[in-house]
Amino acid sequence: MNSQTLRHDWSIDEIEVLLNLPFNDLLFRAQTIHRNNFDPNSVQVSSLISIKTGSCSEDCGYCSQSAKHGTDLEKERLLPVADVVKAAQAAKDKGSTRFCMGAAWRNPTDANLQHVKDMIVAVHDLGMETCVTLGMLTGEQAAELKEAGLDYYNHNLDTSPEFYGNVVTTRTYEDRLKTLSHVREQGISVCSGGILGMGESRRDRASMLRELSNMVKHPDSVPVNMLVQVEGTPLYGTAELDPFEFIRTIAVARILMPKSHVRLSAGRGDMSDEMQALCFLAGANSMFYGERLLTTDNSETSRDVELFDRLGIAFQSKDEQLTAH
Ligand code: SAM
Ligand code: DTB
Ligand code: SF4
């Protein structure tokens, strides 16, 4: 498939038809598209660090870091650059090619941004790709991050525009899209996806996928998170999503955005090996690797290495990522 065939005009109904396909037909279609665009036996791995934890002014219903929820999270100030570099080097030594730094902010102040720019330069100097997720940005702030050499900016849509108000009330969907435009306009690669298992419907999942795939340029990276239920958050106790529904969503993301890296993201630690294998078959070709996500545990690295070995999957190098596009 070449870039001329990428579509940006999907309707929710068309996407729902894909989500409703018999499971085997859906996985066959997704895997065929995957093979036309990527090495099917190689997965990109990114590692995460929380550079500023807790006390966030936003009210995202899933998040352990909101000051508005009664979670027992230990708060931390912005980390020193040296601590971040040490963690990035350790991640690189374990095979990660990208280091993603997350901050519990509605938006960074200009002083915060200066400090984060220093982190970006230092992590880049280690030979890793850099990603940050800092909340809303102005156009000028996006330009500053570009100047520091940032490769990726993560900013998730989280869910459909229709369901968004059930999850977050302190900012709008439009705010999210605006930040993503600033990032894209600076030529920074966009990482944007969402969370499943928040009580949304299949149509909401179709609608979120439409928002992502109809962007003027598909996000380079699409994280698909399963809700990690954190005690004290409003979404704690939400009914668990059928694992096949999660796999279906990965498969449809692959079909709609054939050249994007689809990332099997939060929630992997609670997934069986068989479910993860089906996610890779459905077209997931990226994941978070390392003992921790931001504030919760990730799947154990020894388990991941063993799973890759059992499945014949290799860690993707930085060069392979570039040739895939
Ligand atoms: N504060 C910034 C923001 O909200 O954009 C950056 C950090 S925020 C923690 C990054 C993303 O992590 C969120 O947009 C959400 O998609 C995901 N996330 C947070 N908590 C989660 C949870 N409990 N389960 C699954 N995904 C989660
Ligand atoms: C993304 O989509 N998922 C990551 C990353 N981007 C920043 C964060 C997951 C957070 C899971 C809950 C936690 O550990 O706090
Ligand atoms: Fe704050 Fe981000 Fe958590 Fe929302 S998801 S409460 S903005 S840290």
Side-chain angles (χ1 to χ4, degrees):
M1 184 174 292
N2 58 43
S3 56
Q4 274 87 51
T5 58
L6 293 182
R7 282 185 57 186
H8 300 267
D9 60 353
W10 292 90
S11 70
I12 303 183
D13 286 341
E14 275 179 297
I15 298 173
E16 255 199 313
V17 167
L18 292 173
L19 282 170
N20 289 339
L21 280 173
F23 189 76
N24 289 344
D25 291 346
L26 175 57
L27 258 68
F28 181 74
R29 268 181 80 165
Q31 175 63 201
T32 305
I33 289 179
H34 190 46
R35 280 171 182 267
N36 286 338
N37 291 282
F38 290 102
D39 173 351
N41 302 308
S42 132
V43 168
Q44 185 276 330
V45 297
S46 298
S47 293
L48 278 167
I49 189 170
S50 178
I51 57 168
K52 188 267 168 185
T53 307
S55 310
C56 184
S57 60
E58 302 284 76
D59 70 351
C60 313
Y62 48 79
C63 188
S64 61
Q65 307 202 64
S66 167
K68 299 184 197 295
H69 312 328
T71 58
D72 58 5
L73 183 72
E74 195 126 335
K75 302 166 189 70
E76 275 174 21
R77 289 179 179 279
L78 191 51
L79 291 182
V81 175
D83 291 13
V84 174
V85 171
K86 201 169 151 206
Q89 181 65 54
K92 186 184 177 196
D93 292 344
K94 284 192 158 194
S96 267
T97 55
R98 190 177 309 158
F99 200 58
C100 178
M101 297 161 265
W105 290 321
R106 172 177 166 82
N107 56 267
T109 63
D110 290 341
N112 293 152
L113 204 72
Q114 189 49 53
H115 199 81
V116 173
K117 282 170 67 179
D118 294 343
M119 293 177 185
I120 292 168
V121 170
V123 172
H124 220 267
D125 283 350
L126 299 178
M128 294 185 88
E129 291 180 321
T130 53
C131 175
V132 295
T133 179
L134 314 171
M136 288 189 254
L137 294 182
T138 62
E140 293 72 33
Q141 289 179 321
E144 285 206 42
L145 290 172
K146 176 69 183 176
E147 187 199 85
L150 180 69
D151 297 303
Y152 287 80
Y153 194 81
N154 165 253
H155 201 63
N156 290 339
L157 293 182
D158 284 344
T159 188
S160 67
E162 298 79 16
F163 195 70
Y164 198 73
N166 295 57
V167 179
V168 186
T169 68
T170 49
R171 57 167 188 247
T172 65
Y173 215 75
E174 240 352 272
D175 291 330
R176 295 303 269 185
L177 293 171
K178 205 185 289 168
T179 291
L180 288 171
S181 302
H182 294 322
V183 169
R184 201 181 296 115
E185 277 160 20
Q186 290 304 323
I188 299 169
S189 295
V190 167
C191 171
S192 188
I195 309 178
L196 311 186
M198 299 196 294
E200 77 287 346
S201 64
R202 188 179 265 191
R203 191 159 179 87
D204 286 315
R205 290 187 280 280
S207 174
M208 178 183 83
L209 288 171
R210 184 178 76 134
E211 292 292 329
L212 292 167
S213 57
N214 287 355
M215 286 178 184
V216 286
K217 181 174 183 289
H218 293 166
D220 301 271
S221 167
V222 182
V224 183
N225 297 275
M226 180 74 105
L227 174 67
V228 177
Q229 300 211 5
V230 179
E231 217 168 329
T233 59
L235 290 182
Y236 183 72
T238 304
E240 300 273 332
L241 184 71
D242 176 358
F244 291 123
E245 201 56 35
F246 186 91
I247 300 160
R248 281 178 181 278
T249 309
I250 297 250
V252 176
R254 167 53 62 227
I255 293 169
L256 302 182
M257 295 170 277
K259 293 185 180 292
S260 304
H261 274 81
V262 176
R263 179 169 310 115
L264 174 54
S265 302
R268 215 162 49 73
D270 293 325
M271 295 176 192
S272 68
D273 291 344
E274 294 80 2
M275 176 173 173
Q276 293 188 56
L278 281 173
C279 288
F280 296 132
L281 187 68
N285 61 344
S286 170
M287 69 178 201
F288 288 121
Y289 178 67
E291 309 291 339
R292 297 280 283 172
L293 294 168
L294 290 176
T295 67
T296 65
D297 286 340
N298 193 12
S299 183
E300 295 274 332
T301 52
S302 53
R303 180 185 167 205
D304 292 341
V305 168
E306 196 185 327
L307 180 62
F308 274 24
D309 200 36
R310 287 163 74 204
L311 299 176
I313 288 178
F315 281 60
Q316 197 171 88
S317 70
K318 258 170 61 177
D319 294 345
E320 282 171 308
Q321 279 171 54
L322 294 174
T323 51
H325 280 264

